[in-house]
């Protein structure tokens, strides 16, 4: 009998030791496994390098959420704390090529989907709207085509949407206000057309650079955007007047509207001299009128570009006296008269910029600010109806 008890004790010790040493294999949700298999199957095998994350996704060898991950599923996905659901897919940028399977919608606990800097193509599946826990969707720098699925606005928890640098076409979804958590929107460098919709009040950063968006900038699109800090709308086809309300958005810091077809700007001084505006680029438009002196009333403004427009008249003295201004580009206009002396002799805080290619006189040739050289007198006289510069 004693030998029997000793045997039982040894057996119990062995089982406990083995159980402690063995890896804890989790049971990933079958629907998640099915979706991951479809996800990988939709990618061309020839575009999966042997050393890449997807190459380590071997469903025959191990459960996807099993731990520790020494040889399989080494990267590219993250699971929930209980190792049953996939919560993140973040692929390495190695040039994976294929379509995004609609069955990705089965990963209902997914919070992050990041396929950036690869070669995915085809439409963004509308079924992506089933990912109700999604907080970050990053598909930038691929070859996705078709429209931005209107159903994407059903993602109530989405905080960041980055679809930049693809080949997306059509209009922006009209119901973006139904995305109450959205803080960052980047659809730059696509082929989007039409006017701007109304944006959700939660937005902090708006980037739509390098599309074919058109129309005027309507106050209704930006109404209630009290947290908006960054607006990047350059390289589009916006027209008309940029009204004074735009620069009075309470949190605005950076504005880039260069390379559009704006024809006029209205600038009001900020209320009580309070504003967070730091940088403005309105270069390469068709803006007419006088250089907007009220920009000098924005206390933190350090960079201002109005280059290559159709501005006339003299350079405001206030620009040369503004202590915060470090970069000033007024070149390529039809500005006249003598530039303020405060720009020269080491008095001005402006360290880079240009007043060149205008109709100025007595702009010191020794100053970098005066480059390139001024327009020929004949061009200036023609622009001012044959009247001499003054």
């Amino acid at each position: 009998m004693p030998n029997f008890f000793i045997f039982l004790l040894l057996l119990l010790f062995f089982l406990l030791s083995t159980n402690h040493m063995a890896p804890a294999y989790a049971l990933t949700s079958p629907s998640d496994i099915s979706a991951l298999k479809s996800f990988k199957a939709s990618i061309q095998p020839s575009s999966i390098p042997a050393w890449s994350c997807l190459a380590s996704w071997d469903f025959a060898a191990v459960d996807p959420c099993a731990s520790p991950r020494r040889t399989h599923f080494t990267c590219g996905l993250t699971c929930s704390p209980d190792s049953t659901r996939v919560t993140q897919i973040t692929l390495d940028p190695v040039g994976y090529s294929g379509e995004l399977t609609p069955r990705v919608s089965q990963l209902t606990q997914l919070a992050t989907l990041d396929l950036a800097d690869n070669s995915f193509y085809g439409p963004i599946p509308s079924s992506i709207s089933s990912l109700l826990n999604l907080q970050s969707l990053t598909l930038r720098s691929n070859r996705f085509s078709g429209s931005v699925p209107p159903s994407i606005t059903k993602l109530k928890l989405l905080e960041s949407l980055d679809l930049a640098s693809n080949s997306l076409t059509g209009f922006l979804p009209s119901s973006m206000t139904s995305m109450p958590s959205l803080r960052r929107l980047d659809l730059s460098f696509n082929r989007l057309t039409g006017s701007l919709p109304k944006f959700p009040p939660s937005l902090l950063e708006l980037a739509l650079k390098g599309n074919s968006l058109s129309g005027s900038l309507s106050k209704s699109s930006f109404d209630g955007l009290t947290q908006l800090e960054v607006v990047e709308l350059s390289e589009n086809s916006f027209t008309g007047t940029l009204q004074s309300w735009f620069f009075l958005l309470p949190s605005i810091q950076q504005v880039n509207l260069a390379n559009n077809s704006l024809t006029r700007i209205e600038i009001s001084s900020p209320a009580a001299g309070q504003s967070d505006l730091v940088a403005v680029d309105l270069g390469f438009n068709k803006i007419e009128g006088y250089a907007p002196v009220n920009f000098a009333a924005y206390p933190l403004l350090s960079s201002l570009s109005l280059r290559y427009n159709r501005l006339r008249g003299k350079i405001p003295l206030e620009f040369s006296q503004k202590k915060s201004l470090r970069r000033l580009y007024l070149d390529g206009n039809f500005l006249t008269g003598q530039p303020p002396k405060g720009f020269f002799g080491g008095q001005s805080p402006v360290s880079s910029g240009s007043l060149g290619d205008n109709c100025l006189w007595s702009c010191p040739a020794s100053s970098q600010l005066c480059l390139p050289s001024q327009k020929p007198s004949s061009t200036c006289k023609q622009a001012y109806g044959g009247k001499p510069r003054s």
Side-chain angles (χ1 to χ4, degrees):
M1 279 300 274
N3 290 337
F4 177 73
F5 283 114
I6 292 173
F7 172 77
L8 286 179
L9 288 172
L10 289 172
L11 179 61
L12 180 61
F13 177 79
F14 174 78
L15 291 174
L16 289 173
S17 300
T18 304
N19 186 59
H20 177 73
M21 293 166 54
Y25 287 99
L27 182 62
T28 305
S29 164
S31 62
D32 282 15
I33 293 177
S34 175
L36 290 175
K37 286 181 177 178
S38 296
F39 179 85
K40 183 176 180 179
S42 67
I43 297 173
Q44 298 172 9
S46 60
S47 70
I48 303 177
W51 40 265
S52 66
C53 288
L54 275 184
S56 74
W57 290 20
D58 187 347
F59 297 93
V62 69
D63 185 280
C65 288
S67 61
R69 297 176 183 172
R70 295 193 180 97
T71 58
H72 302 291
F73 294 95
T74 55
C75 57
L77 62 81
T78 303
C79 296
S80 58
D82 63 0
S83 298
T84 61
R85 302 302 305 272
V86 176
T87 58
Q88 294 186 32
I89 293 180
T90 305
L91 291 188
D92 40 345
V94 297
Y96 298 122
S97 179
E99 297 192 34
L100 177 57
T101 175
R103 295 188 67 182
V104 72
S105 61
Q106 293 178 243
L107 299 169
T108 55
Q109 292 301 307
L110 204 64
T112 299
L113 178 58
D114 185 346
L115 311 180
D117 299 296
N118 281 290
S119 295
F120 284 89
Y121 55 84
I124 298 171
S126 60
S127 62
I128 208 165
S129 62
S130 297
L131 300 176
L132 298 181
N133 289 295
L134 201 62
Q135 298 175 28
S136 178
L137 177 58
T138 305
L139 306 179
R140 70 177 297 121
S141 300
N142 279 282
R143 294 186 286 130
F144 286 106
S145 58
S147 62
V148 179
S151 62
I152 209 167
T153 59
K154 295 179 181 179
L155 300 175
K156 307 299 183 185
L157 300 182
L158 196 67
E159 297 178 3
S160 177
L161 176 59
D162 188 345
L163 309 179
S165 300
N166 281 284
S167 298
L168 300 173
T169 56
F171 299 159
L172 292 168
S174 59
S175 55
M176 299 201 73
T177 51
S178 64
M179 305 176 77
S181 303
L182 193 64
R183 298 169 70 81
R184 181 175 180 270
L185 175 64
D186 193 346
L187 302 177
S188 300
F189 299 112
N190 279 286
R191 302 172 188 172
L192 301 172
T193 55
S195 57
L196 298 181
K198 182 173 173 56
F199 295 108
S202 55
L203 207 59
L204 295 179
E205 298 180 19
L206 173 64
L208 298 170
K209 178 180 182 177
N211 282 284
S212 296
L213 299 167
S214 58
S216 61
L217 296 182
S218 169
K219 186 176 182 179
S220 61
S221 296
F222 295 83
D223 193 33
L225 269 63
T226 58
Q227 302 177 72
L228 187 64
E229 297 176 351
V230 179
V231 177
E232 170 56 270
L233 298 176
S234 62
E235 298 179 38
N236 279 285
S237 299
F238 293 113
T239 56
T241 299
L242 185 60
Q243 297 176 331
S244 59
W245 60 263
F246 187 86
F247 291 102
L248 299 178
L249 290 168
S251 299
I252 200 72
Q253 296 179 17
Q254 300 177 44
V255 174
N256 190 349
L257 278 161
N259 294 94
N260 279 284
S261 295
L262 299 172
T263 53
R264 189 164 173 252
I265 54 173
E266 298 173 353
I267 308 297
S268 297
S269 298
Q274 299 296 313
S275 173
D276 293 328
L277 189 65
V278 173
V280 175
D281 191 344
L282 293 168
F284 298 94
N285 277 277
K286 300 175 182 178
I287 299 170
E288 298 180 340
Y290 295 110
V293 64
N294 281 340
F295 269 132
Y298 287 78
L300 303 180
L301 188 66
S302 65
S303 178
L304 176 62
S305 174
L306 291 161
R307 64 193 322 192
Y308 289 91
N309 280 285
R310 300 172 182 176
L311 298 176
R312 297 169 176 247
K314 295 184 177 182
I315 297 174
L317 178 65
E318 291 84 347
F319 285 179
S320 67
Q321 298 172 336
K322 185 165 179 56
K323 301 301 183 182
S324 65
L325 198 59
R326 298 289 184 270
R327 300 175 72 252
L328 178 64
Y329 287 88
L330 299 176
D331 48 316
N333 285 284
F334 295 89
L335 299 171
T336 61
Q338 186 174 4
K341 293 181 180 179
F343 282 126
F344 314 107
Q347 304 174 50
S348 174
V350 175
S351 58
S352 64
S354 176
L355 308 177
D357 198 14
N358 276 292
C359 297
L360 303 172
W361 54 275
S362 297
C363 198
S366 59
S367 173
Q368 288 292 116
L369 278 178
C370 293
L371 298 176
S373 58
Q374 301 299 308
K375 286 180 170 65
S377 297
S378 57
T379 301
C380 295
K381 286 181 180 180
Q382 185 177 6
Y384 280 87
K387 296 179 181 179
R389 291 177 290 172
S390 59

